Amino acid sequence: TTGSALTFDGSTLTGTSVNVRLSNDYKLGFGDGTSWYSGNGSTGYLTFGTNNTERARFDVSGNLGIGTSSPGYPLDVQKASGTTYIQVKRASQSTGEVGIHINGGTSGTTWDIYQGTSSNTLRFWDGTADRLLLDSSGNLGLGVTPSAWSGVSAAFQSAYGAYFLGNSGGQTLHIGFNKDRKSTRLNS
């Protein structure tokens, strides 16, 4: 009816702040109809599509599937072919940390896998401290920042003093508990 909160002219439904209840099976198209959302009240799914193709679906359990009509996890991302990535991005390196938060639940460990502000180091944090760090040069530190030690050819160091150190020619590998003390040297 013209003049009400909802107007239907025979082909177009218009209105502002409108609640519409549809039958069990429904599909609402936008623009030329190639973008839409649909659902089914009896099976409990809600889908979203573009270019006449389903792109995302909430199932009856609340799982969100992107690229799949049968999501098996709270967020299930699939691609029919090729490489699939999930991107977590910040505006610039100086605007804060970027990462993924993994919550272990009651009595579980909470982990953050992140890159710090103004840092190229990938960090694994357990809610108490960084436990593993991988810097942009490929140096790995377990419980210690790998760039904090002086070995130019170093690739791995542990907070407990264990380390692996190769010389610049790649011919010698030192394995020890403290770089400044005795170590085992393997020569090629």
Side-chain angles (χ1 to χ4, degrees):
T1 306
T2 304
S4 66
L6 182 63
T7 303
F8 181 65
D9 67 7
S11 63
T12 305
L13 182 66
T14 58
T16 56
S17 187
V18 176
N19 292 318
V20 178
R21 183 176 177 159
L22 303 171
S23 65
N24 275 345
D25 288 310
Y26 59 88
K27 182 174 186 177
L28 233 50
F30 303 98
D32 62 1
T34 61
S35 296
W36 44 266
Y37 77 89
S38 68
N40 183 295
S42 61
T43 58
Y45 68 80
L46 177 63
T47 63
F48 299 87
T50 60
N51 199 27
N52 285 322
T53 303
E54 181 179 316
R55 304 295 184 183
R57 172 182 293 243
F58 283 100
D59 70 8
V60 68
S61 300
N63 294 333
L64 171 60
I66 299 175
T68 177
S69 60
S70 302
Y73 299 93
L75 176 60
D76 193 341
V77 179
Q78 297 183 27
K79 187 175 175 184
S81 63
T83 305
T84 303
Y85 289 98
I86 297 174
Q87 178 171 281
V88 180
K89 183 178 180 180
R90 58 185 168 196
S92 75
Q93 190 181 37
S94 63
T95 59
E97 297 174 349
V98 62
I100 300 170
H101 181 78
I102 302 167
N103 188 327
T106 306
S107 302
T109 300
T110 297
W111 286 93
D112 289 326
I113 302 170
Y114 73 103
Q115 187 180 56
T117 304
S118 299
S119 170
N120 289 320
T121 300
L122 182 63
R123 300 168 178 268
F124 290 71
W125 187 72
D126 71 351
T128 305
D130 287 321
R131 299 301 180 183
L132 183 143
L133 296 94
L134 179 64
D135 72 16
S136 59
S137 298
N139 296 318
L140 177 65
L142 297 179
V144 65
T145 303
S147 59
W149 51 311
S150 61
V152 176
S153 303
F156 167 83
Q157 183 184 15
S158 165
Y160 299 104
Y163 70 93
F164 297 94
L165 175 65
N167 69 7
S168 59
Q171 302 298 313
T172 305
L173 174 66
H174 294 269
I175 302 172
F177 289 102
N178 184 320
K179 284 190 329 181
D180 303 321
R181 297 190 184 155
K182 294 185 178 184
S183 64
T184 301
R185 183 186 333 190
L186 304 172
N187 294 316
S188 62

